[in-house]
Amino acid sequence: MDAVQRKECGRYVAELFAPEDEVLAELRREISAQDMPEIYVDREEGRLLQVLLQAVGARRVIELGTLGGYSAIWMARALAPDGQLITIEREAERAEVARRFLDRAGLSDRVEVRVGEALELLPDLANEGPFDAIFIDADKKSYPVYLDWALANLREGGLVIGDNAFKGGAVLDTNTDDPGTRGIQEFNRRLAGDPRLTSVIVPTRDGVAIAVVKRS
Ligand code: MG
């Protein structure tokens, strides 16, 4: 398969499995209009998140890096009826957009947007665990720290999901000194080598790393 066909197949998956409703489409327009970075997940990745969360019967989920709430809407729709997603966003304006669209999607009752630095909020959040899954999509430098937190606060059979596992292809550069790339490289290496985890990277556009915490 050549690169064009591969891209067409990505579109095929998106159209067949991951149609977007009006709320999600409008949120993307809002993100563009507000000059927020257009780095939300692809809709087929949104669908992948739903498949994963439902596979583990997720009720308690953490997201690091809300942005406008695009991935939060996908995930919240896959939670068990009494489920809760806590999503952390560093920038208050972005969190406000996310809250507005979560409300419009009818998901405010099951999603809580917390504003602050993930590294500062996570220690307290440990008191609210254990959790069924964590979706890591925040600053890339800190991915290894987020992984430590996940391993301490996920239940057995829980999921670590990391976005941008290819870092736009930069992970292939073994000599890089970019802190974000090094963070992702270490995260991927640890997922691959940690005996407590069964892991892989699904090669979506920028890669989604997935790890299951083994049952003892
Ligand atoms: Mg991302």
Side-chain angles (χ1 to χ4, degrees), residues 39-41 135-138 140 143 163-164 206:
I39 52 172
Y40 42 80
V41 298
F135 178 50
I136 303 171
D137 195 16
K140 308 311 171 201
Y143 268 41
D163 193 31
N164 309 108
D206 199 22

Side-chain angles (χ1 to χ4, degrees), residues 7-22:
K7 200 168 176 188
E8 286 301 315
C9 283
R11 203 191 323 272
Y12 171 81
V13 173
E15 285 173 5
L16 189 58
F17 290 93
E20 217 177 26
D21 69 355
E22 190 45 42

Side-chain angles (χ1 to χ4, degrees), residues 20-197:
E20 217 177 26
D21 69 355
E22 190 45 42
V23 179
L24 288 167
E26 199 173 315
L27 173 52
R28 282 198 296 106
R29 289 194 290 273
E30 176 82 6
I31 286 172
S32 299
Q34 296 233 4
D35 277 331
M36 289 159 71
E38 296 182 31
I39 52 172
Y40 42 80
V41 298
D42 288 335
R43 56 190 166 130
E44 58 269 33
E45 292 170 334
R47 193 62 168 158
L48 174 63
L49 291 171
Q50 292 188 330
V51 169
L52 292 170
L53 295 186
Q54 293 203 344
V56 301
R59 290 180 52 254
R60 306 267 303 147
V61 178
I62 301 289
E63 177 182 51
L64 308 182
T66 315
L67 194 63
Y70 187 83
S71 44
I73 290 175
W74 279 100
M75 286 194 286
R77 286 176 169 165
L79 293 176
D82 59 343
Q84 191 196 19
L85 168 66
I86 298 171
T87 180
I88 295 180
E89 171 55 44
R90 172 160 70 183
E91 300 196 22
E93 279 175 33
R94 294 177 182 178
E96 230 10 82
V97 172
R99 287 193 186 110
R100 188 149 44 87
F101 277 84
L102 285 159
D103 192 46
R104 286 189 41 188
L107 297 166
S108 300
D109 59 331
R110 61 177 70 180
V111 183
E112 188 188 338
V113 185
R114 297 190 187 177
V115 179
E117 293 283 346
L119 289 175
E120 286 169 21
L121 297 182
L122 282 174
D124 278 345
L125 208 51
N127 302 321
E128 299 174 52
F131 296 94
D132 301 304
I134 179 168
F135 178 50
I136 303 171
D137 195 16
D139 66 298
K140 308 311 171 201
K141 178 166 60 74
S142 303
Y143 268 41
V145 184
Y146 300 145
L147 176 58
D148 286 332
W149 189 90
L151 286 168
N153 292 284
L154 286 175
R155 66 158 164 91
E156 288 186 0
L159 289 174
V160 184
I161 310 166
D163 193 31
N164 309 108
F166 294 154
K167 188 77 165 43
V171 287
L172 300 176
D173 178 3
T174 48
N175 295 317
T176 183
D177 52 13
D178 172 62
T181 304
R182 292 177 69 108
I184 296 272
Q185 287 171 329
E186 185 187 338
F187 176 79
N188 290 342
R189 266 197 310 273
R190 286 184 50 196
L191 285 196
D194 192 313
R196 293 168 291 180
L197 299 171

